[in-house]
Amino acid sequence: MSASISAVSSPVSVSASMSAVSALPLVGALLTWFLVPSCPDESWLCSEGEKKFLTSHRLCRVTSMKSMSDKQAKPARTPLLAIATNRQVLIVVGTYFFYNWFYYSLNTTLPTFLKETSGVYLTKNGFLSGLPTMSMSVGVVFGGRLLQYLITRWQLSRTVVRKLITSFAMLVPAGLLGVMLVLPPGSTYTTMALLSVSNGISVLVVSGGPLSAGPELGPQFAGVIWGLAGSIGNLTGVLTPMVAAAMTPHKTLLEWRYFFLISVVFMVAMNLVVVLFWKSELQPFAKTEDTQPQPPVRHRSEDNPLEDSSQISSSNEV
């Protein structure tokens, strides 16, 4: 029994399993490359009615409605410069960058800080070590539901809702990080609880904040916006450990606090930018000659068919 366990846990088997897992994204990318069409016009799964719906709601990139019948029409070019210099797109990019900086500070360098200054080993607590990531899985789903609830039930605009969620998702985790920095040594369970709550709340900015607002800025360019934000934002995975190592040469508590202060300042400053300048509106680079007004927010009566039927019957009686 022990021999089998040691065989499973050997470095060779671990390396092989990690290589297999790492290859899965490559397999998925290859399948997507060969099986997924570049636009709905080329998909055999989309009916003509579905293609017209996507076009009329600006959910696929076509030159105009005429291109549905003109097979020779070429798709519109991507206005990369206009997208990259747009204020709202820059806010999306900045939000992604500063959120990722906070995430990597919390989940990459914070365990090192706690081990060296407080004697707390987050990686040796079994199930507790996975709670921060599990909380993010719950938070990202809850953020989308919260966004839709505030829009449909409270009749708030998308701009206001995204500002509210962003403020909550950035300011509260920044405060929790400050609390974690002043906890007494050995507070393992308290640290794990605060880290899990902080991760679960901060991820709300992904599903309820500007990061998911690409379709509102330019539906046909939502992938371009997200790709631009991801390309710049994911640089923090390299920058954060490098900055941490440069700022903590002696591994003192004061050095670590200065480093984590950067994350707090980033979150507060980015939230201020979102509150002052964010607008969930269709941007000029996404408008075409067939652009239609954005659909209004659904009212409560639209969620309750019985209410609509009663209003119709009363109007008929009059």
Side-chain angles (χ1 to χ4, degrees), residues 118-141:
S118 304
V120 177
Y121 292 82
L122 298 184
T123 57
K124 295 184 179 180
N125 291 286
F127 177 76
L128 291 178
S129 301
L131 284 180
T133 304
M134 294 172 62
S135 66
M136 294 179 65
S137 302
V138 176
V140 73
V141 176

Side-chain angles (χ1 to χ4, degrees), residues 184-223:
S187 304
T188 303
Y189 294 103
T190 303
T191 302
M192 291 303 302
L194 292 178
L195 183 60
S196 300
V197 173
S198 181
N199 274 350
I201 293 178
S202 64
V203 79
L204 295 178
V205 77
V206 175
S207 54
L211 295 187
S212 60
E216 298 169 7
L217 306 181
Q220 67 272 52
F221 302 115

Side-chain angles (χ1 to χ4, degrees), residues 82-157:
I83 294 175
T85 56
N86 181 267
R87 174 186 290 181
Q88 305 307 316
V89 174
L90 291 176
I91 291 178
V92 174
V93 174
T95 304
Y96 197 109
F97 184 90
F98 292 134
Y99 162 73
N100 260 20
W101 182 283
F102 184 83
Y103 169 79
Y104 284 112
S105 296
L106 233 63
N107 296 274
T108 303
T109 57
L110 184 64
T112 304
F113 159 75
L114 294 174
K115 180 183 68 175
E116 294 179 350
T117 61
S118 304
V120 177
Y121 292 82
L122 298 184
T123 57
K124 295 184 179 180
N125 291 286
F127 177 76
L128 291 178
S129 301
L131 284 180
T133 304
M134 294 172 62
S135 66
M136 294 179 65
S137 302
V138 176
V140 73
V141 176
F142 177 75
R145 301 290 295 180
L146 178 62
L147 173 74
Q148 196 65 21
Y149 177 82
L150 294 176
I151 291 174
T152 57
R153 293 294 182 179
W154 286 22
Q155 304 298 305
L156 299 177
S157 68

Side-chain angles (χ1 to χ4, degrees), residues 16-278:
S17 61
M18 292 182 64
S19 300
V21 173
S22 301
L24 291 178
L26 177 60
V27 174
L30 291 175
L31 292 176
T32 302
W33 179 271
F34 288 106
L35 299 179
V36 178
S38 59
C39 65
D41 286 341
E42 302 175 2
S43 175
W44 58 273
L45 295 175
C46 287
S47 64
E48 289 299 322
E50 290 172 333
K51 294 176 182 178
K52 291 180 179 179
F53 173 83
L54 293 173
T55 305
S56 62
H57 287 72
R58 307 186 309 276
L59 297 178
C60 65
R61 293 178 52 198
V62 293
T63 304
S64 66
M65 286 290 291
K66 297 178 182 179
S67 64
M68 296 302 301
S69 58
D70 184 6
K71 299 301 181 181
Q72 302 299 323
K74 296 182 179 180
R77 298 180 62 181
T78 302
L80 291 177
L81 182 60
I83 294 175
T85 56
N86 181 267
R87 174 186 290 181
Q88 305 307 316
V89 174
L90 291 176
I91 291 178
V92 174
V93 174
T95 304
Y96 197 109
F97 184 90
F98 292 134
Y99 162 73
N100 260 20
W101 182 283
F102 184 83
Y103 169 79
Y104 284 112
S105 296
L106 233 63
N107 296 274
T108 303
T109 57
L110 184 64
T112 304
F113 159 75
L114 294 174
K115 180 183 68 175
E116 294 179 350
T117 61
S118 304
V120 177
Y121 292 82
L122 298 184
T123 57
K124 295 184 179 180
N125 291 286
F127 177 76
L128 291 178
S129 301
L131 284 180
T133 304
M134 294 172 62
S135 66
M136 294 179 65
S137 302
V138 176
V140 73
V141 176
F142 177 75
R145 301 290 295 180
L146 178 62
L147 173 74
Q148 196 65 21
Y149 177 82
L150 294 176
I151 291 174
T152 57
R153 293 294 182 179
W154 286 22
Q155 304 298 305
L156 299 177
S157 68
R158 293 181 181 274
T159 299
V160 172
V161 172
R162 292 195 184 278
K163 287 182 178 181
L164 291 175
I165 294 178
T166 300
S167 297
F168 180 71
M170 287 190 160
L171 297 182
V172 174
L176 293 178
L177 176 58
V179 174
M180 283 185 277
L181 296 179
V182 297
L183 287 176
S187 304
T188 303
Y189 294 103
T190 303
T191 302
M192 291 303 302
L194 292 178
L195 183 60
S196 300
V197 173
S198 181
N199 274 350
I201 293 178
S202 64
V203 79
L204 295 178
V205 77
V206 175
S207 54
L211 295 187
S212 60
E216 298 169 7
L217 306 181
Q220 67 272 52
F221 302 115
V224 178
I225 297 172
W226 180 255
L228 180 63
S231 299
I232 298 176
N234 285 321
L235 293 175
T236 54
V238 178
L239 295 176
T240 305
M242 293 175 59
V243 174
M247 294 186 63
T248 58
H250 305 293
K251 311 299 181 184
T252 63
L253 180 60
L254 184 60
E255 290 176 344
W256 279 109
R257 286 178 175 174
Y258 280 139
F259 167 74
F260 286 112
L261 182 62
I262 296 176
S263 300
V264 176
V265 172
F266 277 173
M267 295 289 274
V268 174
M270 193 65 234
N271 175 72
L272 183 61
V273 171
V274 172
V275 171
L276 293 178
F277 301 109
W278 175 256

